[in-house]
Amino acid sequence: MNKIGLPKRMEIKNQHDSLTISRQWFSWYFMPVVAIFMVMDTFIFSLVLNSNSAWERLMLIGMVLLSIYYLLSIFLNKTTIVVTRQEIQVSHSPLPSFGCKKIKVNDITQLYTKKVFCNQNGQTSYSVYVIKRNGTDEKLVSGFISDQQATYTEQQIAQYLGI
């Protein structure tokens, strides 16, 4: 397996008792998504102004707030993976997001990278999975915009744990 260098927007800290890998979410890769959400929010906001129903207005405002939260997450968040000899912990900050988890190292037999999404524009996403001792696969972390980021993360964790 070829060793990959540290990809852009990623940091690594290897301390005596842990390995920490961080990845910034923002990338120019997300700009089409940002543009779509901005147009959508403008459209929804115009519907709010023209709506006669209080329930409909509340629902539309909720949709706008959720999309703004998602956009802020893209710009501000980072994923942090902390690996110790006992567990792997994945967290997202500063805004809470889905995908936070802890997996016990004793349950892991292997790690692998998987191409998980490709749309019509050719945009692809990658995830790192673990194979557990009971034979099941579990997604460890997702949202990598390049195979290099995902493979680097997989290699660093596997090397640290000696898997």
Side-chain angles (χ1 to χ4, degrees), residues 51-109:
S51 175
N52 294 327
S53 164
W55 177 250
E56 195 174 274
R57 282 185 185 164
L58 186 61
M59 188 173 69
L60 292 169
I61 289 171
M63 289 172 61
V64 169
L65 291 175
L66 282 174
S67 66
I68 290 171
Y69 185 87
Y70 177 71
L71 291 175
L72 286 172
S73 294
I74 288 174
F75 281 97
L76 301 175
N77 271 12
K78 71 176 182 176
T79 297
T80 303
I81 306 163
V82 178
V83 184
T84 66
R85 302 289 177 205
Q86 292 76 37
E87 70 180 11
I88 301 174
Q89 180 177 347
V90 178
S91 61
H92 311 291
S93 63
L95 300 175
S97 183
F98 295 105
C100 297
K101 63 177 58 184
K102 291 181 182 180
I103 299 177
K104 292 185 185 297
V105 169
N106 291 339
D107 293 341
I108 300 171
T109 60

Side-chain angles (χ1 to χ4, degrees), residues 110-149:
Q110 185 179 344
L111 292 111
Y112 67 94
T113 298
K114 182 177 179 182
K115 183 178 183 178
V116 292
F117 177 76
C118 186
N119 65 20
Q120 292 135 348
N121 296 334
Q123 295 174 327
T124 304
S125 175
Y126 299 88
S127 295
V128 175
Y129 281 75
V130 298
I131 299 176
K132 297 177 117 182
R133 293 204 184 281
N134 65 8
T136 61
D137 293 20
E138 183 176 336
K139 183 178 5 174
L140 178 64
V141 62
S142 61
F144 293 103
I145 60 171
S146 73
D147 180 44
Q148 182 184 18
Q149 287 182 334

